[in-house]
């Protein structure tokens, strides 16, 4: 595939010539947008039986075959199949240059005999897909559609700043020194660096270590970490101050003994939370809760009277037992672990007392996710402790297959309740989301961006990390950074997996919380300045009175 060198200059000379002509450019992009919008509407409408009859599948213009993956000409209304080469034949016979894969939006050039990439088509594909998604996302506000996404455009003042800014080459990939069996810390820090929400937060100076007035601030150390990783220096970096702060605040992780990466992950989240702006005990809007926080719902149904007791608890990650639906360790997948996690569990009479019955009774308990976080963190329970004696612990070596993309709809509270109603009614919808009022499937999609692996035994092991950077995968082994593949990552012995939401949620027609917080702080700062000025004037008046 031919890729562009920058956003507006494609390497394909034929595409560059076509886009250089305004008339041909508008016609080509108009046709391309219609194709993308048609596929976006089709992929949503076919999910529901009431609209399935209205969709006519396209057929190849030469062999008449029904196309599950159609290729459409970008110069006329023709469509053809790829496997038999009929779309290529059409382009050659008509002298047309380009066609597009309707499902993915990839553009094919017949002159180059290859797929070509251009930033204009990529931006148009994302904008058109998002616009169609917004039209059907009405579950958040009953009477109003989802607020249209508006891309950021710099104003006059920001353009001046951008023109005078000095761009420094940086890749965001840097090894971390092992400071004495600190591989557990290095892999979690690499997952933080690969986290797009944390990266954007710290690189946009939402927390600056030179302006912070807190002592022993972990968030300041995170700001320094991102500044070091995205600097021109490519030598391995030692996070000594961050390690010292961790030892100071958590005695369990202090010293040079081997530690658990998941335990450090939870400790680091708590430390960053307590030292970040927006941290409150009620409704926290700090970067940690904005990124990792979700809600877990527990439904307990009494078998005597049928009363369902609902309870919600906050969560920062999900810990999964390495047992399949048949309680065996073989053939484990992330999906099977999640199904077992959300499967109803029987409770004995000694474990539950119904409030309505007022008696101890048998019950069934089921977990589901009430609110999905922006970043999902999964921990596989590989270290099994059957007794208090830690020497009796063992490591579960069973491989777990996990995907590069994940749809979390079947494990959410609303979808699980709708699926139960659909089963009672006898209808089985073909979509993962059984009701269009719950929004399209795309809003439940997650993409893998980091994997923490544990190699070796429980008492003599080593942590490594796979992380995605600029759509490429890399393996981090302390100070060693090597190029890897997605296949190598998916075949690794995962201990923790990190997924980010493909489409981030936002409250419609509401000013972002960080803007409100920034305005409130500006008002408080002005009040403090007025108080200082009033105190200074009072001192001057007192000195004058004393002199008189």
């Amino acid at each position: 595939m031919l890729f562009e060198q920058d956003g507006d200059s494609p390497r394909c000379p034929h595409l560059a010539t076509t886009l250089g002509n305004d008339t041909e450019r508008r016609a080509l992009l108009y046709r391309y947008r219609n194709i993308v919008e048609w596929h976006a509407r089709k992929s949503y409408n076919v999910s529901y039986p009431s609209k399935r009859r209205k969709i006519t599948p396209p057929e190849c213009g030469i062999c008449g075959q029904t196309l599950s993956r159609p290729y459409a000409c970008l110069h006329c209304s023709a469509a053809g199949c790829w496997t038999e080469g009929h779309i290529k034949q059409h382009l050659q016979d008509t002298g047309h240059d380009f066609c597009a894969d309707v499902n993915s939006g990839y553009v094919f050039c017949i002159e180059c005999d290859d797929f070509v990439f251009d930033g204009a088509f990529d931006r148009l594909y994302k904008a058109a897909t998002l616009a169609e998604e917004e039209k059907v996302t009405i579950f958040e506000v009953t009477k109003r559609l989802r607020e249209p996404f508006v891309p950021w455009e710099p104003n006059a003042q920001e353009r001046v700043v951008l023109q005078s800014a000095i761009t420094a080459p940086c890749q965001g990939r840097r090894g971390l020194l092992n400071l004495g069996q600190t591989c557990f810390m290095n892999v979690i820090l690499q997952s933080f660096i690969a986290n797009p929400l944390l990266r954007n937060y710290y690189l946009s100076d939402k927390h600056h270590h030179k302006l912070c007035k807190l002592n022993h601030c972990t968030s300041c150390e995170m700001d320094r970490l991102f500044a070091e990783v995205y600097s021109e220096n490519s030598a391995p970096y030692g996070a000594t101050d961050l390690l010292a702060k961790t030892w100071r605040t958590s005695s369990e992780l202090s010293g040079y003994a081997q530690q658990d990466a998941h335990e450090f992950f939870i400790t680091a989240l708590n430390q960053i939370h307590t030292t970040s702006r927006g941290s409150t005990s009620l409704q926290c809007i700090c970067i940690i809760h904005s990124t990792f926080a979700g809600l877990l719902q527990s439904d307990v149904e009494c078998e005597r009277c049928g009363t369902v007791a609902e309870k919600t608890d906050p969560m920062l990650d999900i810990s999964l037992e390495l047992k399949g639906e048949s309680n065996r360790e073989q053939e484990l997948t992330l999906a099977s672990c999640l199904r077992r996690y959300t499967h109803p569990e029987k409770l004995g009479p000694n474990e539950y007392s119904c409030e309505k019955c007022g008696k101890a009774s048998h019950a069934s308990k089921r977990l589901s996710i009430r609110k999905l976080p922006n970043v999902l963190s999964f921990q596989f329970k590989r270290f099994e402790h059957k007794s208090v004696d830690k020497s009796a612990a063992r490591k579960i070596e069973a491989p777990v297959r996990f995907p590069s993309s994940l749809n979390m709809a079947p494990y959410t509270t609303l979808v699980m309740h709708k699926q139960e109603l659909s089963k009672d009614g006898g209808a089985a919808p073909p979509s993962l989301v059984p009701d269009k009022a719950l929004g399209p499937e795309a809003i439940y999609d997650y993409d893998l961006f980091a994997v923490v692996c544990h190699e070796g035994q429980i008492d003599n092991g080593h942590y490594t990390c796979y992380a995605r950077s600029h759509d490429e995968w890399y393996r981090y082994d302390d100070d060693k950074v090597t190029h890897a593949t997605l296949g190598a990552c998916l075949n690794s012995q995962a201990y923790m997996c990190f997924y980010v939401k493909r489409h981030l949620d936002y409250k419609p027609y509401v000013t972002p919380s960080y803007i409100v917080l920034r305005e409130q702080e500006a008002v408080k700062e002005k009040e403090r300045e007025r108080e200082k000025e009033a105190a200074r004037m009072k001192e001057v008046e007192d000195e004058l009175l004393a002199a008189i």
Side-chain angles (χ1 to χ4, degrees):
M1 179 179 284
L2 298 178
F3 289 95
E4 62 175 3
Q5 301 215 343
D6 57 58
D8 299 313
S9 302
R11 288 181 58 184
C12 171
H14 316 99
L15 189 58
T17 303
T18 303
L19 296 180
N21 185 299
D22 290 341
T23 303
E24 294 182 1
R25 176 187 176 90
R26 284 195 296 269
L28 200 68
L29 294 179
Y30 176 77
R31 175 69 182 164
Y32 180 81
R33 184 182 183 93
N34 287 340
I35 292 172
V36 174
E37 289 177 345
W38 177 86
H39 176 260
R41 288 193 297 270
K42 180 183 79 71
S43 61
Y44 174 72
N45 290 336
V46 297
S47 300
Y48 305 99
S50 61
K51 295 194 175 185
R52 175 172 279 186
R53 294 189 298 271
K54 300 179 183 179
I55 302 297
T56 302
E59 297 179 350
C60 177
I62 296 179
C63 65
Q65 177 185 357
T66 301
L67 301 174
S68 60
R69 193 181 185 94
Y71 281 76
C73 179
L74 292 180
H75 303 272
C76 65
S77 59
C81 59
W82 179 263
T83 54
E84 300 296 330
H86 291 155
I87 187 63
K88 285 187 178 182
Q89 181 181 338
H90 166 78
L91 296 178
Q92 293 169 347
D93 294 343
T94 58
H96 295 164
D97 295 324
F98 308 104
C99 68
D101 180 357
V102 176
N103 290 14
S104 65
Y106 293 157
V107 177
F108 179 82
C109 174
I110 191 64
E111 295 294 335
C112 298
D113 194 23
D114 199 358
F115 287 92
V116 295
F117 179 85
D118 175 62
F121 286 97
D122 184 58
R123 291 189 293 271
L124 186 58
Y125 177 82
K126 294 177 180 177
T129 304
L130 182 60
E132 289 300 319
E133 179 187 313
E134 288 171 346
K135 293 178 182 178
V136 296
T137 307
I138 58 175
F139 68 99
E140 293 188 59
V141 180
T142 55
K143 297 182 180 180
R144 305 179 74 175
L145 293 175
R146 178 174 169 179
E147 182 181 4
F149 173 76
V150 179
W152 173 74
E153 293 291 341
N155 54 33
Q157 183 180 1
E158 291 168 338
R159 289 193 188 96
V160 173
V161 174
L162 291 174
Q163 290 174 358
S164 60
I166 301 175
T167 57
C170 57
Q171 296 179 336
R173 298 186 297 273
R174 191 172 177 183
L176 299 177
L177 294 173
N178 192 316
L179 305 175
Q181 300 200 67
T182 58
C183 57
F184 70 92
M185 177 183 73
N186 290 344
V187 291
I188 297 301
L189 294 183
Q190 293 291 3
S191 73
F192 286 165
I193 294 168
N195 190 320
L197 276 74
L198 294 181
R199 176 199 64 202
N200 294 348
Y201 178 84
Y202 284 104
L203 292 184
S204 58
D205 281 344
K206 295 291 174 34
H207 187 107
H208 200 293
H209 65 275
K210 293 183 178 180
L211 302 178
C212 182
K213 299 178 181 179
L214 295 177
N215 295 324
H216 310 301
C217 178
T218 305
S219 197
C220 287
E221 295 306 321
M222 288 296 299
D223 182 57
R224 291 190 181 95
L225 174 66
F226 275 93
E228 288 288 343
V229 169
Y230 281 88
S231 67
E232 297 182 9
N233 190 352
S234 59
Y237 173 70
T240 54
D241 291 339
L242 182 58
L243 179 63
K245 285 180 173 56
T246 303
W247 286 1
R248 193 178 294 111
T249 56
S250 177
S251 58
E252 295 83 3
L253 295 174
S254 60
Y256 292 99
Q258 291 189 357
Q259 303 292 348
D260 181 48
H262 179 258
E263 185 177 353
F264 174 79
F265 171 72
I266 297 299
T267 301
L269 294 189
N270 291 330
Q271 292 178 7
I272 299 172
H273 154 71
T274 55
T275 56
S276 294
R277 296 164 58 184
S279 174
T280 63
S281 58
L282 298 176
Q283 186 178 4
C284 185
I285 58 172
C286 76
I287 181 58
I288 294 302
H289 283 84
S290 300
T291 302
F292 294 98
L295 286 177
L296 196 65
Q297 178 160 320
S298 171
D299 296 330
V300 181
E301 182 178 2
C302 176
E303 295 184 358
R304 184 190 300 271
C305 64
T307 302
V308 178
E310 298 180 355
K311 180 183 178 182
T312 57
D313 295 298
M315 70 172 191
L316 292 175
D317 71 331
I318 298 176
S319 296
L320 301 172
E321 294 185 359
L322 290 186
K323 293 180 181 179
E325 295 166 286
S326 58
N327 288 334
R328 293 186 300 174
E329 296 178 3
Q330 292 79 12
E331 295 298 323
L332 289 172
T333 65
L334 176 58
S336 67
C337 292
L338 282 171
R339 285 194 295 269
R340 189 177 189 277
Y341 184 78
T342 56
H343 192 269
E345 173 189 1
K346 295 293 184 180
L347 300 178
N350 296 329
E351 298 178 273
Y352 179 71
S353 178
C354 179
E355 294 182 358
K356 185 175 182 180
C357 296
K359 300 178 181 178
S361 61
H362 291 275
S364 62
K365 177 182 178 181
R366 188 185 67 177
L367 296 176
S368 59
I369 302 176
R370 181 62 178 256
K371 177 180 178 293
L372 286 167
N374 291 325
V375 172
L376 266 172
S377 169
F378 295 108
Q379 180 219 8
F380 299 115
K381 294 183 178 179
R382 290 198 174 274
F383 307 125
E384 191 174 48
H385 301 272
K386 293 186 177 180
S387 62
V388 181
D389 185 12
K390 291 187 177 181
S391 62
R394 74 180 186 98
K395 179 186 175 184
I396 302 175
E397 299 282 356
V400 182
R401 291 189 289 114
F402 52 94
S404 60
S405 59
L406 177 68
N407 189 288
M408 289 296 294
Y411 317 108
T412 58
T413 305
L414 295 177
V415 172
M416 291 173 73
H417 286 175
K418 287 290 184 180
Q419 286 175 339
E420 288 182 353
L421 296 176
S422 300
K423 289 179 182 178
D424 296 339
S431 171
L432 291 174
V433 184
D435 192 336
K436 63 181 181 180
L438 300 178
E441 289 184 18
I443 65 174
Y444 299 93
D445 286 339
Y446 285 79
D447 292 316
L448 181 72
F449 71 87
V451 176
V452 170
C453 308
H454 185 270
E455 304 168 358
Q457 299 303 313
I458 189 171
D459 56 347
N460 187 23
H462 180 62
Y463 287 102
T464 59
C465 176
Y466 287 91
R468 189 181 66 194
S469 174
H470 300 288
D471 291 330
E472 295 287 337
W473 284 90
Y474 295 86
R475 184 176 183 269
Y476 296 87
D477 184 357
D478 288 332
D479 58 327
K480 295 181 287 293
V481 181
T482 56
H483 189 271
T485 62
L486 175 60
C489 173
L490 298 181
N491 290 325
S492 62
Q493 192 179 71
Y495 177 53
M496 296 180 68
C497 295
F498 298 90
Y499 290 83
V500 63
K501 234 180 185 184
R502 191 172 299 169
H503 302 289
L504 297 181
D505 293 335
Y506 55 90
K507 293 182 179 180
Y509 305 100
V510 174
T511 304
S513 58
Y514 74 91
I515 294 180
V516 175
L517 185 63
R518 186 170 60 192
E519 293 175 350
Q520 291 175 350
E521 289 185 351
V523 172
K524 292 180 181 178
E525 185 65 27
K526 290 181 179 179
E527 291 179 355
R528 286 193 290 266
E529 290 179 357
R530 284 197 295 266
E531 291 175 357
K532 289 181 180 179
E533 182 63 21
R536 190 182 67 83
M537 293 299 297
K538 189 176 184 305
E539 290 180 359
V540 172
E541 292 177 357
D542 292 342
E543 291 177 357
L544 289 175
L545 291 174
I548 295 174

